[in-house]
Amino acid sequence: MTTHSSKRVYLQPTPVRIWHWLNALGIVTLGLSGAQIRFPEYINLFGSYKAAIELHNTAGILVALSFTFWFFYYTCIARKMTQLYVPSSDDLRHGLLRQSVYYFFNYFRGKPSPHHPTPDNKFNPLQKSAYLAIMFVLMPLVSLSGILLMNIAPLREIVLLIGGLKILVGIHFLLSCAMFAFLFTHLYLATLGKTPLAYFKPMWNGWEEIDEHESETTLESGHHG
Amino acid sequence: MGRKIGFLSLGLAALWLAAPVETAAMDDESCVSCHADAGMVGDAYVIDPLRYDTTAHAGLGCVACHESVTWDHPDDGQPLSRAGCLDCHQDIYEEYAQSGHAQYADCGDCHNPHLVRGPTTISGHDMNRNCAVCHETSGLVRSHGSWLPQAALHLEMLPCISCHSGSENIVISLYLTRRPLHPDSGAPARGLPFELAGYEDLKLLSEQEKISSLIDTDGDGFISLAELRSFNRNRDNRNLRLKGMLTPEIVTHDFGILANRWDCTFCHASGPGAMQTSFVAFPRQDGSFERLAVEKGAVLDVLYGTPDFYIVGATRSATLNYIGLAILAAGLIMPVGHGTLRFLTRKNRR
Ligand code: HEM
């Protein structure tokens, strides 16, 4: 498909895109309603307190389900989880450094990115590491702590095992802050393409546009991978 | 019996001087000499002096409420009179009569006249115990669950009257709960849920010191945040946990459904200012509770002040807010820092 004359790569399959935007909407909703739940005397975005809680609970369940769906899509159906999201040893040895040097140095000098996305290798090593932290650490922990918070009485023994309700809420709150901290970084990294919107387009319509000579290297590495 | 006659003659002598013979009556000790003994009066008629003597009614004397008692009691087989609560609690009686609930339950359905306690010397669990006689818990969880998330949790952590009456001065009362003891080994049973700890259990644990010394280690009758923290962190106390309830200090009897309790903000959205008054209530031998005041704001402590008590929207910790803010700020380093350099070097990428 990459031989298509318009020099475009089909980077994001439809289910992934639907998932991504639903998830994004869900997480933003969770963050905003969570903020109202914690700071009700300052923040009132959803009418009543009860509405915020009901919205947060509903969105929480949906996002937790969607996360599970994502996990199974990649491990069972696409079978690309490790390849896509776990940095390879080469990534760790050279890629991370190379990509960091690019972002923090060469980028400012106007050099091209050392990473070329393909369907099988769509994230650069920096993105991979960040995604790894988010999708394998933050997301599951926020969801699990949230599900416990939603069922305090029935799951009391687990709450006690964690050390009590306060610790559980603390974990949930701080992890959700971490999630938003990531979101800022994530969104910003996504504006570092050729044009600020270049990385958003593939997530929207699935296609990434790349230069002629770049697409050749991409094709090659695509064949090998 | 000899002792009884002795008391009787003393009492009679006193009354000869003060009043006509007909009103002469047995004193409390005589009544209790029979009525403390289940073998003599039968289980249904036992009055436990240990628990009765410290109630506000004890000072009235048995006869004040059982006026018709005569020297022939119990041999005459006559049923005794019982004073109506109206005689002495007219205000409450009238208040209650106006509530819709008066048609369903009498004073006696919620109060045992021999065990009366004020709202600050009774536990939140005890307040609910009488309601549960007529209102089955599983049904309530279902009906309240239709509008109240985590209804079972709410019904466990709140006295019904905090929502179903205009009762005021709602404060946080912390009660000691513990793992029940295993029937065979006598050791705390890990699998079983925590339950309210009784006087005897805690007496054992406090090694014959005052029970409050379990938390109030310096014995000054006041619980500081430091004492609360060290209690909660002490590994020896892992089978004890403090459970918090929102209990009223001033009780009204206008039972019914109050519109503003639909509104979660009544408890949840007040912000940390409103929920700072708390007490630890320790059980006493007579079944009542002794409250020790806790340092203001202890429930807002990050982790170890009250590890199991947290009301969203009301008892958040400021420390945690600042840590959260720092994390969010860290997330802005990349966009702001990099973004600035990016802007300054934009010419290089043309
Ligand atoms: C993914 C699944 C999630 C679930 C199941 C969940 C569930 C919960 C629950 C049950 C509560 C207690 C209040 C309530 O019942 O609504 C809560 C509170 C909260 N949640 Fe979530 N949540 C999730 C994700 C998130 C995310 C992604 C964020 C933000 C990025 C977030 C932010 C918060 C905040 C700030 C609070 C207030 C707690 C406090 O007082 O500190 N949650 N959540």
Side-chain angles (χ1 to χ4, degrees), chain A residues 37-42 49-50 53 103-104 107-110 149-153 156-157 160 163-167 169-170 173-174 177-178 180-181 184-185 188-189 191-192 196, chain B residues 147 150 153 157 179 194 241 264-265 268-269 271-272 299 301-303 306-310 312-313 316-317 320-321 323-324 327-328 331-332 334-335 338-339 341-342 345 348-349:
Chain A
I37 292 169
R38 189 173 174 94
F39 303 101
E41 49 332 349
Y42 301 117
Y49 195 69
K50 186 178 173 185
I53 284 193
Y103 273 144
F104 291 103
Y107 172 82
F108 298 125
R109 295 166 50 205
L149 275 176
M150 218 177 268
N151 301 283
I152 298 170
R156 178 71 79 186
E157 287 301 319
L160 291 177
L165 187 53
K166 274 258 168 93
I167 294 185
V169 169
F173 173 63
L174 292 184
C177 291
F180 264 75
F184 299 149
T185 311
Y188 182 75
L189 281 178
T191 65
L192 288 177
Chain B
W147 58 275
Q150 310 210 33
L153 178 74
M157 305 307 242
R179 293 270 188 210
F194 279 80
R241 296 198 77 102
C264 324
T265 57
H268 280 286
V299 293
D301 187 47
V302 190
L303 297 179
T306 53
D308 297 325
F309 184 77
Y310 182 76
V312 283
R316 60 175 185 254
S317 122
L320 221 54
N321 292 346
I323 301 177
I327 295 176
L328 285 177
L332 288 174
M334 180 77 183
H338 196 275
L341 285 176
R342 180 186 183 184
T345 59
N348 299 348
R349 285 182 301 280

Side-chain angles (χ1 to χ4, degrees), chain B residues 29-323:
Chain B
E29 279 182 61
S30 329
C31 309
V32 168
S33 68
C34 289
H35 279 280
D37 183 352
M40 193 175 285
V41 297
D43 284 339
Y45 293 149
V46 174
I47 308 290
D48 178 358
L50 183 72
R51 302 178 71 193
Y52 172 78
D53 287 350
T54 52
T55 65
H57 281 174
L60 302 170
C62 311
V63 183
C65 294
H66 299 289
E67 277 176 311
S68 75
V69 72
T70 66
W71 292 108
D72 297 330
H73 174 78
D75 303 330
D76 60 2
Q78 290 295 314
L80 297 186
S81 68
R82 286 129 161 97
C85 315
L86 171 64
D87 296 350
C88 305
H89 296 287
Q90 202 174 347
D91 294 353
I92 293 179
Y93 190 92
E94 280 165 8
E95 182 182 39
Y96 183 59
Q98 281 171 9
S99 81
H101 204 269
Q103 57 186 311
Y104 306 129
D106 296 329
C107 313
D109 288 318
C110 294
H111 296 285
N112 178 336
H114 311 115
L115 294 176
V116 292
R117 302 281 176 203
T120 56
T121 56
I122 192 179
S123 75
H125 306 83
D126 290 330
M127 293 184 192
N128 284 355
R129 196 156 292 153
N130 293 309
C131 315
V133 172
C134 301
H135 295 286
E136 188 216 353
T137 308
S138 60
L140 290 176
V141 170
R142 228 174 302 120
S143 67
H144 290 71
S146 67
W147 58 275
L148 181 64
Q150 310 210 33
L153 178 74
H154 280 97
L155 296 185
E156 187 193 322
M157 305 307 242
L158 288 163
C160 316
I161 56 168
S162 293
C163 285
H164 285 296
S165 71
S167 297
E168 285 174 354
N169 285 21
I170 294 183
V171 297
I172 298 162
S173 296
L174 301 161
Y175 304 101
L176 282 161
T177 62
R178 51 145 210 158
R179 293 270 188 210
L181 300 181
H182 197 277
D184 301 331
S185 66
R190 300 214 92 227
L192 299 177
F194 279 80
E195 57 183 36
L196 200 64
Y199 174 81
E200 300 299 335
D201 309 325
L202 295 174
K203 197 73 194 166
L204 271 177
L205 286 170
S206 59
E207 287 156 354
Q208 304 309 314
E209 300 255 346
K210 275 186 79 176
I211 286 180
S212 54
S213 71
L214 282 170
I215 305 179
D216 180 23
T217 39
D218 63 7
D220 64 354
F222 175 77
I223 293 177
S224 66
L225 178 54
E227 283 171 330
L228 209 52
R229 280 196 189 136
S230 68
F231 170 80
N232 285 318
R233 292 163 82 157
N234 188 343
R235 286 285 294 155
D236 293 344
N237 295 332
R238 64 186 175 283
N239 290 310
L240 286 178
R241 296 198 77 102
L242 283 168
K243 164 182 175 176
M245 293 180 87
L246 293 182
T247 61
E249 290 179 320
I250 298 174
V251 171
T252 61
H253 281 74
D254 49 348
F255 299 120
I257 288 170
L258 301 179
N260 68 347
R261 304 306 198 274
W262 289 90
D263 184 358
C264 324
T265 57
F266 180 76
C267 296
H268 280 286
S270 39
M275 293 269 180
Q276 299 213 8
T277 311
S278 57
F279 299 88
V280 178
F282 297 96
R284 283 190 286 226
Q285 199 166 12
D286 62 5
S288 68
F289 283 78
E290 176 190 17
R291 301 197 308 173
L292 294 196
V294 175
E295 189 175 330
K296 258 212 162 14
V299 293
L300 308 182
D301 187 47
V302 190
L303 297 179
Y304 293 109
T306 53
D308 297 325
F309 184 77
Y310 182 76
I311 303 189
V312 283
T315 63
R316 60 175 185 254
S317 122
T319 314
L320 221 54
N321 292 346
Y322 291 125
I323 301 177

Side-chain angles (χ1 to χ4, degrees), chain A residues 125-222:
Chain A
L126 213 58
Q127 283 170 324
K128 269 190 199 171
S129 316
Y131 265 68
L132 197 70
I134 296 311
M135 297 311 281
F136 287 84
V137 182
L138 288 180
M139 248 337 264
L141 288 181
V142 175
S143 307
L144 283 178
S145 58
I147 285 165
L148 286 175
L149 275 176
M150 218 177 268
N151 301 283
I152 298 170
L155 301 179
R156 178 71 79 186
E157 287 301 319
I158 306 177
V159 176
L160 291 177
L161 214 63
I162 291 172
L165 187 53
K166 274 258 168 93
I167 294 185
L168 179 63
V169 169
I171 290 175
H172 189 74
F173 173 63
L174 292 184
L175 288 180
S176 61
C177 291
M179 195 111 164
F180 264 75
F182 161 77
L183 204 69
F184 299 149
T185 311
H186 172 65
L187 282 176
Y188 182 75
L189 281 178
T191 65
L192 288 177
K194 262 183 125 0
T195 64
L197 285 180
Y199 281 162
F200 288 93
K201 278 189 195 137
M203 216 15 119
W204 191 251
N205 58 23
W207 294 92
E208 163 128 349
E209 316 218 1
I210 37 183
D211 292 350
E212 193 76 67
H213 75 277
E214 273 183 39
S215 92
E216 272 153 26
T217 43
T218 310
L219 269 176
E220 256 168 52
S221 64

